[in-house]
Amino acid sequence: MFQRPASFWEENRSLGSYDILIVGAGMVGLWTAWHLQRLAKGLKIGVVDQLPSGQAGASTRNAGFACFGSPTELLDDLHRENRSDIVERLSWRYQGLQSWRETFGEDALGWVPGRGFEIFSTHQSEAWQNVQSNLDSLNQLAAESGIPGEVYQKSIPPIPSLIGCISIEHEAGLHAGKAHQTLKAAVEEHGAHILQGIEVPPMASWSKEENAWAIPTTQGVLKAHRIILASNAWSGHILDRKDILPGRGQVLLTDPIDHLPYAGTYHADEGYLYFRNVGNRLLLGGGRNAFRSQEETLSGETTVNVQAHLESYLHEVLLPGFEVKVSDRWAGTMAFSPDGSKMPLLESTDGITLIARMGGMGVALSPEAGRKAAQLALEV
Ligand SMILES: Cc1cc2nc3c(=O)[nH]c(=O)nc-3n(C[C@H](O)[C@H](O)[C@H](O)COP(=O)(O)OP(=O)(O)OC[C@H]3O[C@@H](n4cnc5c(N)ncnc54)[C@H](O)[C@@H]3O)c2cc1C
C-alpha cells in the first residue's frame, strides 16, 4: 500500500468528535454500531479501521461458513469448558445466524442454503466412534441452546474413502465480502461515520480531556466520550495485554473442478480443517494447530508450510484421483485466549468497552457480540 510519513498539518487537526468511537470495522464493530443506532437513537457514532475501505482483519477474509459448532469441536469443548458457557455460546451463534438473515435477507448476504457436515477420514476411526456414541448428547446440547430439531444426524460420506459423516441442520454458507459490505452500508445509512485507513495507536498514547478520550493518529486527533474496542486480534497490542492472542487463518481456493463431490460447508478434525464448495470450486482452510506458534501472528501473509499442509489434505483426503489446481490463497487474523477458552471477552472500564477474542466462528457470533458490547457501553 502507498504510504508516506504524516505531515505536521495532517497530525495536528481534529479528525472527528463522537459520542462513541468504535475501533474496528469488522463484523463485530459494525454490528455494535448497528445495535447502538437502535438502542440509543441520535448518538454520534464513529467507526475507525486501519485497513483500506472494504477490508477487515478477518471479516472479509474468512471462509464464509454460517456455522455454530461441529460434533468433534463441541465434544472437545465439553472436556475443557463449563457446559453452561458452551450452551451460551452455541445459542449466541445460532441466534446470530438468524439475525443476519432476518435483518438483511439471504440475497444481500450471498447466503447459500444447505447443511453443514463433519467428515471423518480413515485415521479418525476413534473420533468417529466417539461422535456416534455421543450423538444424542450433542443433540441435547443443541436443544438446550435453543437450536430446533435433530441437529446432528448420521449421513452418507460424500466420497467412499471417508469412513463417516454427520450432517448439521441449520448451517449454511455466505459470501463474507457481501455480508460485510451490506452491514457496513446499513450502518452508514443510519449516520455512522466510517473512517478507513487510520490506525489507532496503543492506549498508552491516549489522553483524557474533559471527560472525553483524545486519540492521536497520523491523520489527526479522534475524540470520543466512550470507546468500544472491536479490534479483535489487535486488541492485545492496543491494550498491552497478553490474554488476547492473534491467530492467523489461511485458506486456498481451487479452480473449477468437474464432478466436485462436495456441496455445503464441511468441518473436520475438531474444526481445525474446514472446506466448502464455492460453485464448483473448493475452498479449504485451517491447519493452524499444526503450526501453532508460527501462526500466532498479526501478519496477514500466507506461508509455504501451512499451504502445503492444506494441499496435501486436499489431494490425499478430499479429492484423491482428481485433477485439482489451486488458484487463490489468502490469510486473515483471528483472536484466541491463551487457555483455550472460546468465550469472547467482554468488559468495560473507564469509558472503554472491549469485545474481543472472536475465534473461528465470529461470523455467527458477531450480531450477539455487537449487541452485548453496545448494551454494556451504554450502561457504564
Ligand atoms: C481464514 C479465516 C477463515 C475463517 N472462517 C470463518 C467462517 O467460515 N465462519 C466464521 O464464523 N468465522 C470464520 N472466521 C473467523 C471470523 O472471520 C472472525 O471471528 C470474525 O470476522 C471476527 O470479526 P471481528 O470484527 O471481531 O474482527 P475483524 O474482522 O478482524 O475486525 C477487527 C478490525 O479492527 C481493525 N483494527 C485493529 N486494530 C486497529 C487499530 N489499531 N486501529 C484501527 N483499526 C484497527 C482491523 O483492521 C480489523 O479490520 C475465519 C477467520 C479466518 C482468518
Side-chain angles (χ1 to χ4, degrees):
M1 198 168 60
F2 183 64
Q3 274 183 327
R4 294 174 301 186
S7 76
F8 172 85
W9 313 113
E10 287 162 349
E11 277 179 331
N12 289 281
R13 61 184 171 186
S14 168
L15 202 52
S17 200
Y18 300 97
D19 295 312
I20 300 192
L21 178 71
I22 300 168
V23 182
M27 287 176 174
V28 172
L30 293 173
W31 270 108
T32 305
W34 194 91
H35 285 293
L36 283 171
Q37 287 170 333
R38 278 141 193 93
L39 289 167
K41 289 197 170 65
L43 279 183
K44 191 172 176 199
I45 298 169
V47 187
V48 58
D49 203 293
Q50 64 197 353
L51 290 169
S53 182
Q55 290 187 26
S59 298
T60 53
R61 308 181 70 76
N62 59 54
F65 280 46
C67 60
F68 46 80
S70 64
T72 53
E73 179 164 3
L74 289 173
L75 290 174
D76 184 54
D77 290 349
L78 284 165
H79 284 301
R80 298 163 185 267
E81 294 181 82
N82 291 331
R83 187 179 180 87
S84 59
D85 283 354
I86 298 168
V87 166
E88 187 181 0
R89 205 167 52 228
L90 259 180
S91 134
W92 280 26
R93 290 174 184 154
Y94 178 70
Q95 285 171 25
L97 296 181
Q98 308 313 306
S99 297
W100 274 109
R101 281 166 71 196
E102 284 162 14
T103 307
F104 300 113
E106 295 189 351
D107 280 357
L109 306 173
W111 192 271
V112 189
R115 276 187 297 173
F117 300 92
E118 173 152 17
I119 52 133
F120 297 82
S121 54
T122 42
H123 73 279
Q124 290 178 297
S125 51
E126 202 180 314
W128 173 230
Q129 291 307 327
N130 191 30
V131 164
Q132 289 179 91
S133 48
N134 281 291
L135 259 194
D136 287 347
S137 55
L138 283 165
N139 279 314
Q140 174 61 32
L141 192 69
E144 275 173 52
S145 314
I147 309 178
E150 195 183 343
V151 175
Y152 300 102
Q153 295 176 35
K154 263 176 87 168
S155 175
I156 297 167
I159 56 169
S161 55
L162 296 173
I163 60 167
C165 182
I166 299 287
S167 68
I168 310 170
E169 288 301 309
H170 313 298
E171 289 201 346
L174 54 67
H175 185 309
K178 262 178 107 167
H180 180 264
Q181 191 176 38
T182 296
L183 173 59
K184 186 176 163 207
V187 165
E188 272 182 312
E189 201 179 299
H190 281 82
H193 289 182
I194 302 198
L195 303 107
Q196 300 254 190
I198 296 165
E199 183 183 347
V200 166
M203 198 194 150
S205 62
W206 307 0
S207 58
K208 209 156 187 196
E209 297 163 8
E210 292 164 16
N211 219 15
W213 283 103
I215 302 178
T217 80
T218 53
Q219 292 174 57
V221 179
L222 286 163
K223 285 195 179 165
H225 287 102
R226 288 176 201 172
I227 310 288
I228 300 179
L229 281 178
S231 38
N232 206 31
W234 287 263
S235 306
H237 171 67
I238 295 175
L239 296 173
D240 192 22
R241 284 172 61 153
K242 305 270 179 273
D243 59 346
I244 306 165
L245 301 178
R248 177 168 53 194
Q250 302 193 32
V251 298
L252 59 77
L253 181 64
T254 70
D255 269 347
I257 298 168
D258 286 340
H259 311 295
L260 181 68
Y262 301 102
T265 50
Y266 294 78
H267 311 260
D269 200 9
E270 294 168 6
Y272 284 113
L273 287 162
Y274 45 87
F275 59 98
R276 59 172 285 192
N277 72 304
V278 179
N280 60 350
R281 305 168 79 180
L282 197 84
L283 184 156
L284 165 65
R288 196 175 52 82
N289 56 330
F291 304 91
R292 212 172 267 280
S293 58
Q294 172 194 293
E295 295 306 291
E296 200 180 293
T297 174
L298 287 169
S299 159
E301 303 294 319
T302 57
T303 61
V304 172
N305 54 5
V306 174
Q307 291 291 322
H309 181 76
L310 292 175
E311 279 204 48
S312 82
Y313 185 73
L314 176 71
H315 294 294
E316 287 161 27
V317 178
L318 298 184
L319 293 168
F322 278 75
E323 187 82 6
V324 184
K325 199 164 158 265
V326 174
S327 53
D328 291 279
R329 304 172 195 273
W330 67 87
T333 321
M334 300 167 270
F336 298 92
S337 70
D339 65 3
S341 159
K342 292 180 187 160
M343 229 35 206
L345 205 55
L346 175 64
E347 50 186 58
S348 223
T349 177
D350 202 11
I352 301 171
T353 301
L354 170 68
I355 176 77
R357 284 206 313 226
M358 300 301 134
M361 283 187 239
V363 173
L365 280 175
S366 58
E368 289 303 302
R371 181 203 306 276
K372 290 188 189 324
Q375 284 167 340
L376 186 61
L378 293 174
E379 263 170 32
V380 290

